[in-house]
Amino acid sequence: MTDVLINDPSDGIYDDGEWISWEWINSQLNDEQDPEDLCERRSPPSVLELTRVFLDLVSVAQEYKDLTGRYLEIWGELGELYAEIRHGLVRHPKHFAGSDGTIGVALVEVKTISPEKKKDRVYVKRAGNFEKLLVVRVSEDFLFSSKLFERGDLKEGASPLIKARWTGFE
């Protein structure tokens, strides 16, 4: 909710299933800002609103493919939107290093397998700051499915990248 990474329990409080940073709480107490403006700017979109936008984007991507014979390259964004809707992912701000968001209190990295990929695998940085890996697969018919893997299930190794298959890890 606050888009601030909590490294230590003293950096915030845990309430209603999520961490809230002291920085965010203190920003709410600032008298110089209009409280209504804060609510409008910080309120996350509803699942219904996200679903509507997601379905519109998928429809446009399908229409583009039908007209041009080429895929519209928006797979990462569609994968993360799907994760928000299907798994309750709360995304980090843009360019947040190490993970894409949180599901509950777990840091999650999202990788998408597009229909144009010949193999069902993704690569993720071993050094990434994530506890779970969510792999989203999109079929040629624009059907979405996903699998959530625990970081502990990833193979140890010296390579900077982990190769993850739809069926498991290598």
Side-chain angles (χ1 to χ4, degrees), residues 13-27:
I13 61 172
Y14 188 77
D15 183 46
D16 196 28
E18 63 185 5
W19 282 98
I20 303 172
S21 72
W22 289 115
E23 179 184 322
W24 185 83
I25 292 169
N26 289 333
S27 75

Side-chain angles (χ1 to χ4, degrees), residues 156-170:
E156 296 294 324
S159 170
L161 297 176
I162 300 166
K163 182 170 42 173
R165 290 190 181 276
W166 181 251
T167 55
F169 294 98
E170 293 183 346

Side-chain angles (χ1 to χ4, degrees), residues 19-153:
W19 282 98
I20 303 172
S21 72
W22 289 115
E23 179 184 322
W24 185 83
I25 292 169
N26 289 333
S27 75
Q28 302 304 297
L29 301 174
N30 185 348
D31 291 334
E32 296 175 13
Q33 295 182 354
D34 180 6
E36 287 183 356
D37 181 48
L38 284 172
C39 290
E40 286 179 23
R41 195 172 68 239
R42 295 192 188 237
S43 295
S46 71
V47 173
L48 185 60
E49 291 169 314
L50 286 175
T51 302
R52 182 186 53 78
V53 170
F54 174 77
L55 293 173
D56 287 349
L57 288 171
V58 171
S59 177
V60 167
Q62 284 178 305
E63 186 176 352
Y64 182 83
K65 172 71 163 92
D66 292 343
L67 289 172
T68 67
R70 299 181 346 199
Y71 287 106
L72 191 57
E73 298 299 323
I74 59 170
W75 304 118
E77 190 66 27
L78 287 175
E80 289 181 20
L81 269 171
Y82 180 81
E84 283 186 82
I85 296 163
R86 177 74 173 87
H87 295 278
L89 178 77
V90 177
R91 287 205 263 182
H92 295 313
K94 202 170 185 180
H95 306 299
F96 188 92
S99 63
D100 294 310
T102 59
I103 296 176
V105 296
L107 293 168
V108 178
E109 178 70 16
V110 178
K111 292 293 181 185
T112 305
I113 300 172
S114 70
E116 58 195 332
K117 284 191 177 180
K118 301 289 184 231
K119 298 182 179 178
D120 277 351
R121 66 178 172 218
V122 297
Y123 293 90
V124 62
K125 293 178 187 172
R126 189 176 301 280
N129 185 24
F130 63 94
E131 299 162 273
K132 297 182 181 204
L133 173 64
L134 180 64
V135 179
V136 177
R137 184 169 65 175
V138 187
S139 74
E140 290 182 3
D141 297 331
F142 291 86
L143 300 176
F144 286 69
S145 54
S146 61
K147 290 186 178 185
L148 189 63
F149 299 94
E150 297 291 328
R151 174 77 185 242
D153 294 338

